Structure formats: structure tokens, C-alpha cells
Amino acid sequence: MKRRTFVRSTLAASAALAIPRRPLEAFYREAPSKPLTAPCSGQTVDYEVRVERLLDAPIVTPALHPSIGENIQGPSLIRVPNWVQGRLGAYYLYFADHKGRYIRLAYADEVTGPWRIHPQGSLQIADSHFLTAPPDVSPDELERLRENRGGAAAISHDLLTEVTTPHIASPDVHVDEQNRRIVMYFHGLDGVSRQVSRVATSTDGIHFEARPEVLGRTYMRVFQHAGYTYAMSMPGQFYRSRDPLGGFEEGPRLFNGRMRHSALLIRSGTLLVFWTQVGEVPELIQVSMIDLSADWNSWSESAPREVLRPERVWEGADAPLVPSLRSTAYGHVNQLRDPAIYEEAGRVFLLYAVAGESGIAIAEVHIRPLPTELSNDG
């Protein structure tokens, strides 16, 4: 007998703010017809996933402080542990400029804010083991890179900028209570057209010490499962290690080559992957599922279902509907990017970049098990 796991996705907004929402019938017409399933042995588990905006505004925008600039993306939220001395607030929110030279840091006493900026930020590019100056590239090498791109998705600026701009971004931050440290996975430029991920640790959440070892591809999101630290990088490349700080082995690659950013959540042995895709009109947040009970080389993702799209002006809903591009989002565009999951006291929060990379918003994810039913396929 097989178990099938279904996600029934709905969009919701805060009733207290009286935010309008689309009829569910309209949502289901837009969703793929194939159900989300994660087959494995055992009983059927059926979930309803509902995303509720907590505020009718972003929690971080360029207006918050001039130091953070106009490009705001890549959120990762933690509750600051009590053993951190002199903490700035109860929560730290890490984020980045897509081509920035340090990881930004905001702090607050509530997840909805008000948020304040620590202007000095946290990890600096000079301490990251990544390049701090653009590498040299000859015209011939640049032409070869252009030819090798073939049918790859279009980028939002010239190729030379893309392959030579030093930066660090995509923080994925976790509290390691056992070792009393804060762990940050991040990526940067390691050579011409070579971007990879590394890890850094901190005892105060502000000053980080990076390790030189390359862990894998960019945009790592990390989770613990069955005695391993697993990571998924863009686009859908999995890694695992017994050591959360190194020695990752490469595993299966799921999803497709246009997958962009992701956020991960485990429920009952199933990995929920919230993700976005380059070229979508508009780029939006969807969810797929992976059954973790099998050998990881047998993992496969379910068909995606939409959970959140730009519907507010501050999310870019008023901008033209055009396919999204790789790399930096310039200006106010009709896209949601960079989902990130934060859990606390039984609640699940979704942070995401709005209007491309114009700010960060927060929502709550409601995941409700539904009555079980047995499948008919033996």
C-alpha cells in the first residue's frame, strides 16, 4: 500500500487588515491539474497549505536606512539565542544586495517589526575567502563564455558584469544550540564565472569567521535529516554531510535548470520545497514535495502548486507582466523571489523578496493535515 501526500494550496490575507483575496475557484483554475504527491509506503497524509500575509506592507525597504541600498533580497531569519551577549534584539534578519559586498543585518523584538538596521551589517566580503576585486578576463575568454551560455536564460545586465563582479549574498542562517554558535551558509564569486558556497560561524550573530572550503553550488538551503546535514542549491542540486561545516558529497539533482530560489520545510518525512522559477510571468512562489523515506538517489519532486503571487502594488503587481531574468532584479518588477522559512513555537513564517528585489515581506504558512484516505493502486 502506498502513501500519497497532497498539498491543497490556497491564498489568504489577514482578515484584520481586510486585504482582499482572489476567489479559490480562480486559484484552482490557474494551478496545475496534476496533484502534488510524494509516494512512499504507509498511510495517506493530506495537507492543506495556506499562505497569509501578516502585514499589508514590506518589513524591510530601502527607506529603512540608507546603508542598505536599493537592492534588497535573500532573507534569513533567526531568533537570537539567550547565550548571545549584548544582542540588539530578539530577532536577527539577514539579507543581501544581489551584488553586495557584505551581508546586511536587521533586528527587531517581533517578527513583524518594527525592524531596525545595523548599518555595519554582519559578514564582510574581505573576511569571506571570496574575491574582493574583479578578476581579469580576456576578450576571447568572454566570447567563449558567451558562446557556452547557449540557450541559458537571459541575464539582466551585460555578461562581463555577471562573471566578474565580486559579491557575497544568499545567507542561510541557523542557530546551533549544542555548540553555541550561529552558522551562515552563503555564496560569492570565486573566479571568472565561478560562484560557489561557503560557510561561516559566529558566537554573536554579527561577527562571522568564514571557512575556506567550497561546499557546493550557490543559494544553499540546509536542513537536518536522519543524521545528515542536507543542502539544496540552485537549481535543485542536493548535497549531504555528517559534518554541517564541510565534507559535503554531491547527490541527486531535481527540478529544472530554471529553478531559482528555494526554502525548505520538513513535515512527517516529507520535504516541502517553496521555490521560484526564472522566466515565469510573473515569477511567483510555488511549492513541491519530496518524500525523504527512500534512498536520496531515488528522490523526486512533485508537480508544483502556486502559493503566492504578486497581488499588491508593493509586491510589483502594478508592473508589466514580462518574463523574469537571471541575476539582479533592477527596479520595481512584477516578481516574488527568495522565499525563506522560519519556524517558532509551532508557527511557520514565510519571508520573501517583493517587486523583484525591492524589499522583504513576511507571511504565515498554515499547514493543516486533512483526513486520510487510502489509495486504490495497491
Side-chain angles (χ1 to χ4, degrees):
M1 181 168 55
K2 295 183 179 180
R3 182 183 77 183
R4 284 187 176 177
T5 308
F6 299 90
V7 171
R8 296 177 181 174
S9 304
T10 62
L11 299 178
S14 170
L17 293 171
I19 302 171
R21 65 177 181 178
R22 293 179 300 153
L24 287 182
E25 293 78 10
F27 168 73
Y28 283 113
R29 283 198 299 270
E30 295 169 5
S33 58
K34 184 178 179 181
L36 282 170
T37 60
C40 64
S41 61
Q43 65 180 5
T44 300
V45 177
D46 194 350
Y47 290 106
E48 178 185 75
V49 176
R50 181 170 58 88
V51 175
E52 174 189 3
R53 296 174 179 88
L54 294 182
L55 299 170
D56 196 14
I59 58 173
V60 176
T61 70
L64 209 53
H65 196 278
S67 66
I68 62 176
E70 297 291 323
N71 186 278
I72 297 171
Q73 52 95 260
S76 185
L77 175 64
I78 66 167
R79 184 174 182 88
V80 186
N82 292 331
W83 41 261
V84 169
Q85 300 295 316
R87 59 183 186 169
L88 303 175
Y91 297 93
Y92 283 177
L93 175 59
Y94 301 86
F95 60 100
D97 179 317
H98 202 120
K99 296 295 185 183
R101 299 181 68 86
Y102 70 97
I103 302 301
R104 276 67 169 156
L105 176 62
Y107 59 95
D109 290 324
E110 302 289 341
V111 294
T112 53
W115 287 90
R116 296 175 176 84
I117 297 298
H118 180 60
Q120 294 79 16
S122 58
L123 179 65
Q124 308 290 314
I125 195 170
D127 303 318
S128 70
H129 296 286
F130 283 113
L131 296 182
T132 59
D136 294 330
V137 54
S138 69
D140 288 345
E141 184 178 5
L142 188 62
E143 185 57 34
R144 283 195 299 272
L145 289 170
R146 186 174 287 109
E147 292 173 355
N148 289 340
R149 284 187 55 80
I155 56 177
S156 57
H157 41 232
D158 66 276
L159 184 59
L160 182 62
T161 296
E162 179 64 16
V163 302
T164 63
T165 300
H167 65 282
I168 55 173
S170 70
D172 184 47
V173 186
H174 302 261
V175 176
D176 179 354
E177 289 285 359
Q178 181 177 353
N179 296 294
R180 289 201 166 195
R181 64 189 179 190
I182 296 170
V183 181
M184 177 192 293
Y185 301 88
F186 65 103
H187 84 264
L189 185 73
D190 208 41
V192 175
S193 193
R194 173 177 161 81
Q195 296 184 42
V196 293
S197 289
R198 288 190 163 98
V199 67
T201 59
S202 172
T203 57
D204 64 5
I206 298 175
H207 305 93
F208 282 83
E209 181 178 352
R211 295 165 60 101
E213 180 183 351
V214 171
L215 303 184
R217 297 172 68 103
T218 58
Y219 293 96
M220 272 191 163
R221 291 295 196 189
V222 170
F223 65 99
Q224 305 297 320
H225 174 66
Y228 283 95
T229 296
Y230 283 87
M232 189 180 79
S233 293
M234 184 182 76
Q237 177 64 60
F238 279 87
Y239 302 88
R240 72 179 180 186
S241 175
R242 296 290 187 183
D243 177 3
L245 301 184
F248 283 84
E249 62 173 313
E250 188 173 282
R253 180 172 168 179
L254 279 60
F255 297 91
N256 62 68
R258 290 179 179 258
M259 182 191 207
R260 196 197 300 266
H261 305 135
S262 65
L264 309 177
L265 176 68
I266 292 182
R267 282 294 181 272
S268 300
T270 297
L271 184 67
L272 282 75
V273 181
F274 298 82
W275 60 289
T276 74
Q277 180 164 287
V278 176
E280 292 286 274
V281 184
E283 186 161 343
L284 49 79
I285 299 172
Q286 51 197 350
V287 63
S288 294
M289 301 179 68
I290 300 170
D291 171 27
L292 301 179
S293 66
D295 179 89
W296 72 328
N297 288 306
S298 300
W299 289 355
S300 62
E301 77 278 14
S302 67
R305 283 287 178 92
E306 174 185 326
V307 294
L308 195 65
R309 67 167 50 218
E311 293 183 312
R312 307 288 184 267
V313 170
W314 50 268
E315 290 177 327
D318 60 331
L321 283 167
V322 296
S324 60
L325 303 175
R326 278 280 180 208
S327 198
T328 309
Y330 292 102
H332 182 88
V333 294
N334 199 329
Q335 301 169 23
L336 301 183
R337 298 190 183 191
D338 293 292
I341 290 291
Y342 171 70
E343 293 187 81
E344 182 180 358
R347 299 179 71 184
V348 179
F349 299 93
L350 174 70
L351 296 100
Y352 58 101
V354 301
E357 296 172 336
S358 299
I360 295 167
I362 189 168
E364 186 166 1
V365 182
H366 302 280
I367 303 173
R368 184 171 67 93
L370 297 175
T372 61
E373 58 182 280
L374 298 180
S375 67
N376 296 320
D377 56 0

